[in-house]
Amino acid sequence: MVGLTLDEAQEKGIVIGLKDVSDVRYRLDIDSFMMTKPDCFNLFILAVGELQKDSGNMGWFEVAGIHGYPSRDWDGVKGRNETEDPREMYGYCEHASVLFPFWHRPYMAMMEQTIYHSMVKKAEEFVGEPMKWKTAAEDFRLPYWDWLRPRAKQIGHIVSGIGTNEKSGNPFDYIFDLPRILKEKKVMVYLPSPGKPNEEKKLKSITNPLYSFSFEASTTKIPKDEWDSLNRDKYNQPVELISRDRTVRRPTVDLQDSDTLHVNDLLNKQRESNVIALLNLFVLETYSEYLRMSNHSATKGGGSGSIESLHDNYHNYLGGPAHMGDPRVAAFDPVFWFHHCNIDRIMAIWQATHPKRWFPATTPGNKGPDDPLYPFRAFKDGKVDWWTSNDSIDTKKFGYTYADLDPTDAGAVFEAFGRNYVWSIHEESRPDGFGDAPPEEMEPVVVNDSPFFKYEVSKKPAFPGGFHLTSQVKTEPIELPRNIIFKVAVIEGDGTEAQEETSSMSISSTEVVNKVPEQATPQLEVSDTKTEQPKGTKAVRNWYVDSMVPKKAFNGSATFFYFVTGQEYIRKPYSQEPSLAALNHIFAAPVEACANCAQQAESGLIISDTEPITPILWDIVNNTSYLESIEPEHVVPFLKNNFQIRVLGPGSEDVKPYNIEGLKLSISTTVQYFKPGSLIAIEGPKNRFPEITDPILTPPAATTNDST
């Protein structure tokens, strides 16, 4: 077979990967990439900057636009066969679909390929040491951002949450902020200088292309009517939510800059819940089937979390109501690519630990592993075709791999992977035999001595919020201004439970059944299995909030916030409340902007999620006198009085849970049994407690009637 050159592939918009160009190489965490391959990283920065000004089909704007806006064909590729639906077809992205992980794999490879191509061209511009830069370019693979790897160690660092004496903060010496290179507005680099080779040895300050993408500077544009559609409230009235000038992360009040402190607060606060959710994808039998773990649609047998649910939440942490929180414009933000590269890495590790698990015979929407992944052209047997999931199974086919995949045994892959994260959760939730410090390969990479941050003192830019100056700093603990209030269940003389004070969450005995579309058959699972604790094991109990909601309930993205507090008034932004136990972000586009979303909504597709809330319960047990243990006899009455939910729909408008048609919500608990030094779990029973959540789904009038 005669292959294509990289230049030919770029010209024709074909994803060939980099294997035949520069063999198979490791994708690295972004900090490790920056510190171990600085010349390659220098070219990477310059190439991204060039691509952000490139208006061609393989430039930044057009490749990012494949994920959403502008609503037009990319390079003439139709997203679906027009005969399948009489409406105009638009959009390619596969969310809430069994194709989700493997649609994004060639998408990442496309950006990786186009950046590499640009790096090679940029390397040719250096005249002083041409071979040094050529060799550096060949070593490039797209970096990932491991959200759960600490970025620094800081003694006395405070994480928002339930602290001692009901103060809103807990010490944790490791910091899980955004990597510094993604937070700096300016960066120092070496620039090519034709005819002046000595100038190429001097660091120069440039705008950091990894901090933001400028729509203003782009020669290609998102149409005004599409920008207007992004800035609408639930009543379809104009409201400015998203900057039209540049991408921002959790925007400041004027929408023109990123609130990095807010982003970092969320990343640190929600970290432990996400560690539990991540490890569950590998430990629990629930996630051993590809259909269930691959996407956030509910499958037969009930709802659960998924790799897509984990992905959705990080979109919210980063974007909130802005670009990363909305699929129509998320891919323009540079952090999108490092986030999704990490999702691809997790998927590759899951594949290695579940080598025989793949698409089932039938799937929702009849989507299969040989379906074309539009618009990603492939070159097969000397002709242009389309990438499929079957084509995309092996990352090495694209020319990359991950160090996590080095062990040849599936069990060894998981044990090494699990050890990288289990250290950072509460001791009570850790299997015996694991300490509370990261393995050597997970220690923070000290980046502050990097040439990319060697600013001239007089020209050093202000750090855009939340930046920690060194890898080890001692600071005074910060007491956050928001106090925590809990309500105590009082046991009456007859043994029945009463609240100390009246609350809108008073318990109703009425069973709540919201109206569910006829097509929606999944139900929240309940296990009556009784499992005796095996000898020599440690029992680890976890608590979750489980949800199922029809996709058509929200015409766009929505976020569920779960709080453990007796305080009825919860201030905005909800994401900054210390009592926030977890959140669930539904990452979706309106039906008007996405054919896939429209078809899913019409079919009655249900989105499911499972969010761990164990960490905040352990904080309350360890730091207060309100909760004796996390056993059901203590947690259930406590959460009856102290569990609350808030929902923000499209336009960041509050939505009452009982007004969400088809919403199912429950608190559940499971027990896992671990042998010392092992992360392989024996699963115990799973129980649900709808009495905690039923009142939240009951309209106030119904509650009043029940009490009379």
Side-chain angles (χ1 to χ4, degrees):
M1 180 182 76
V2 179
L4 294 175
T5 66
L6 183 59
D7 285 341
E8 289 172 332
Q10 286 294 110
E11 182 181 350
K12 297 177 180 180
I14 300 172
V15 180
I16 61 170
L18 298 176
K19 182 179 180 181
D20 293 337
V21 179
S22 61
D23 206 2
V24 177
R25 302 187 186 237
Y26 287 115
R27 284 182 176 175
L28 303 175
D29 179 79
I30 193 165
D31 281 350
S32 296
F33 174 32
M34 180 173 64
M35 298 306 294
T36 61
K37 303 178 187 297
D39 293 336
C40 184
F41 197 87
N42 191 97
L43 288 172
F44 168 59
I45 292 284
L46 300 182
V48 171
E50 290 290 320
L51 285 170
Q52 289 183 353
K53 296 178 284 188
D54 185 345
S55 61
N57 285 334
M58 297 295 277
W60 191 275
F61 183 93
E62 291 295 331
V63 173
I66 288 171
H67 199 267
Y69 282 166
S71 295
R72 52 177 166 78
D73 297 336
W74 177 83
D75 200 24
V77 178
K78 293 291 181 184
R80 288 172 174 78
N81 188 328
E82 288 186 337
T83 61
E84 295 176 4
D85 194 312
R87 300 170 304 179
E88 180 184 357
M89 291 291 97
Y90 40 85
Y92 307 103
C93 198
E94 294 285 354
H95 291 106
S97 160
V98 71
L99 302 179
F100 167 76
F102 292 95
W103 183 90
H104 284 85
R105 182 163 285 175
Y107 192 29
M108 295 299 106
M110 173 184 270
M111 182 60 86
E112 184 171 63
Q113 174 181 307
T114 202
I115 292 174
Y116 181 97
H117 182 259
S118 182
M119 287 173 64
V120 170
K121 300 299 183 186
K122 184 58 66 174
E124 293 171 354
E125 297 178 18
F126 283 87
V127 295
E129 300 174 275
M131 286 307 299
K132 164 189 164 181
W133 294 105
K134 179 179 183 296
T135 302
E138 291 173 353
D139 216 16
F140 171 74
R141 292 300 182 269
L142 190 66
Y144 62 86
W145 165 40
D146 183 352
W147 338 287
L148 301 176
R149 177 177 185 165
R151 298 295 145 184
K153 184 176 182 181
Q154 179 176 312
I155 307 302
H157 172 246
I158 297 296
V159 179
S160 176
I162 311 298
T164 55
N165 300 319
E166 299 153 52
K167 293 180 181 178
S168 51
N170 273 311
F172 194 77
D173 292 343
Y174 287 92
I175 299 166
F176 297 81
D177 289 357
L178 270 173
R180 181 177 177 182
I181 192 63
L182 303 180
K183 298 187 293 189
E184 297 285 3
K185 294 181 179 181
K186 297 287 184 179
V187 66
M188 304 298 289
V189 294
Y190 297 104
L191 295 170
S193 183
K196 298 179 180 179
N198 288 334
E199 287 296 309
E200 295 179 351
K201 298 179 181 180
K202 299 177 182 178
L203 287 167
K204 305 289 179 64
S205 175
I206 66 169
T207 298
N208 182 6
L210 305 186
Y211 180 72
S212 181
F213 169 78
S214 173
F215 295 102
E216 214 171 24
S218 175
T219 56
T220 41
K221 304 291 183 183
I222 293 175
K224 181 181 181 302
D225 64 321
E226 293 184 353
W227 274 123
D228 290 344
S229 71
L230 286 160
N231 289 283
R232 297 275 179 178
D233 64 16
K234 66 179 180 180
Y235 304 107
N236 203 34
Q237 296 301 306
V239 54
E240 288 298 310
L241 297 169
I242 296 181
S243 170
R244 304 175 189 229
D245 299 330
R246 62 186 62 84
T247 60
V248 296
R249 300 164 193 154
R250 288 213 161 255
T252 52
V253 175
D254 62 2
L255 306 183
Q256 295 306 301
D257 206 352
S258 298
D259 186 350
T260 309
L261 280 172
H262 191 171
V263 173
N264 288 339
D265 179 58
L266 264 175
L267 293 175
N268 284 273
K269 185 182 344 186
Q270 297 303 311
R271 171 199 54 80
E272 187 174 349
S273 289
N274 289 319
V275 171
I276 295 170
L278 174 65
L279 294 179
N280 280 351
L281 293 178
F282 294 85
V283 171
L284 299 184
E285 182 65 24
T286 298
Y287 303 108
S288 64
E289 297 296 335
Y290 173 76
L291 177 62
R292 176 165 285 189
M293 76 78 59
S294 66
N295 69 100
H296 66 207
S297 65
T299 59
K300 185 177 180 181
S304 65
S306 64
I307 192 172
E308 186 176 12
S309 295
L310 195 60
H311 146 275
D312 289 358
N313 287 349
Y314 275 91
H315 269 281
N316 178 266
Y317 304 155
L318 293 161
H323 302 86
M324 271 295 284
D326 193 306
R328 292 170 286 180
V329 288
F332 291 101
D333 190 328
V335 76
F336 171 94
W337 301 93
F338 316 129
H339 162 55
H340 263 280
C341 196
N342 196 43
I343 291 293
D344 181 79
R345 166 179 162 263
I346 294 167
M347 188 66 233
I349 297 167
W350 189 92
Q351 289 177 259
T353 57
H354 299 77
K356 297 182 180 180
R357 303 303 175 109
W358 194 225
F359 283 67
T362 59
T363 65
N366 295 318
K367 294 181 178 181
D370 290 316
D371 283 10
L373 302 175
Y374 299 118
F376 307 121
R377 299 186 182 103
F379 197 68
K380 304 177 186 178
D381 300 323
K383 62 181 181 181
V384 178
D385 205 332
W386 306 103
W387 283 97
T388 68
S389 297
N390 273 334
D391 294 330
S392 307
I393 292 174
D394 186 1
T395 66
K396 292 180 179 179
K397 194 169 184 177
F398 294 96
Y400 71 89
T401 187
Y402 300 100
D404 307 83
L405 305 178
D406 284 350
T408 55
D409 175 73
V413 170
F414 170 68
E415 287 289 347
F417 177 74
R419 283 178 184 273
N420 285 342
Y421 303 104
V422 71
W423 65 272
S424 65
I425 62 179
H426 276 76
E427 181 181 2
E428 297 90 343
S429 295
R430 285 199 306 268
D432 290 337
F434 296 92
D436 59 359
E440 183 179 353
E441 58 270 27
M442 290 293 285
E443 285 283 355
V445 175
V446 180
V447 300
N448 299 320
D449 294 331
S450 164
F452 302 102
F453 308 129
K454 287 187 176 179
Y455 307 104
E456 294 179 18
V457 175
S458 61
K459 297 181 180 179
K460 189 172 182 179
F463 298 124
F467 168 62
H468 299 281
L469 291 174
T470 67
S471 64
Q472 295 198 38
V473 179
K474 185 169 183 178
T475 61
E476 290 300 317
I478 301 171
E479 184 177 337
L480 301 177
R482 302 184 180 204
N483 293 322
I484 310 299
I485 298 174
F486 295 120
K487 293 180 180 176
V488 181
V490 178
I491 305 301
E492 303 286 6
D494 59 359
T496 60
E497 184 183 310
Q499 286 186 291
E500 192 172 67
E501 58 181 291
T502 305
S503 165
S504 60
M505 290 181 59
S506 57
I507 306 303
S508 164
S509 61
T510 302
E511 182 179 358
V512 179
V513 182
N514 285 13
K515 184 180 178 182
V516 182
E518 293 182 2
Q519 300 96 322
T521 56
Q523 301 292 322
L524 293 171
E525 294 174 305
V526 178
S527 170
D528 294 322
T529 304
K530 303 297 182 184
T531 304
E532 291 188 9
Q533 181 172 352
K535 291 183 179 179
T537 64
K538 177 179 179 177
V540 173
R541 181 177 293 280
N542 276 305
W543 288 86
Y544 304 92
V545 182
D546 305 314
S547 64
M548 296 175 66
V549 62
K551 186 156 189 174
K552 72 176 184 179
F554 302 101
N555 189 24
S557 295
T559 310
F560 289 71
F561 298 87
Y562 306 124
F563 301 94
V564 178
T565 179
Q567 187 171 314
E568 294 180 30
Y569 174 70
I570 300 176
R571 290 192 294 175
K572 288 184 177 180
Y574 296 142
S575 53
Q576 290 188 312
E577 273 295 323
S579 60
L580 178 67
L583 64 77
N584 164 32
H585 185 61
I586 298 172
F587 188 64
V591 298
E592 298 83 9
C594 170
N596 184 46
C597 298
Q599 292 168 353
Q600 290 174 343
E602 290 174 4
S603 70
L605 182 137
I606 303 294
I607 295 174
S608 69
D609 183 64
T610 294
E611 292 296 331
I613 59 171
T614 316
I616 198 169
L617 296 177
W618 274 123
D619 283 345
I620 297 169
V621 170
N622 293 334
N623 298 333
T624 79
S625 59
Y626 291 102
L627 186 59
E628 186 174 336
S629 78
I630 68 162
E631 292 305 305
E633 61 265 31
H634 299 126
V635 171
V636 174
F638 178 77
L639 289 183
K640 281 184 180 181
N641 294 324
N642 294 287
F643 179 73
Q644 297 198 48
I645 175 174
R646 299 292 185 271
V647 183
L648 292 180
S652 295
E653 296 285 343
D654 281 280
V655 182
K656 297 294 185 184
Y658 49 75
N659 288 332
I660 301 172
E661 185 175 332
L663 172 64
K664 293 179 182 292
L665 194 70
S666 183
I667 302 291
S668 67
T669 185
T670 63
V671 179
Q672 299 162 291
Y673 304 106
F674 295 90
K675 294 181 179 179
S678 174
L679 292 170
I680 306 299
I682 302 169
E683 289 188 57
K686 181 174 187 175
N687 301 102
R688 294 192 187 279
F689 301 93
E691 62 266 34
I692 299 172
T693 51
D694 280 357
I696 298 172
L697 301 179
T698 305
T703 302
T704 301
N705 291 338
D706 291 336
S707 64
T708 59

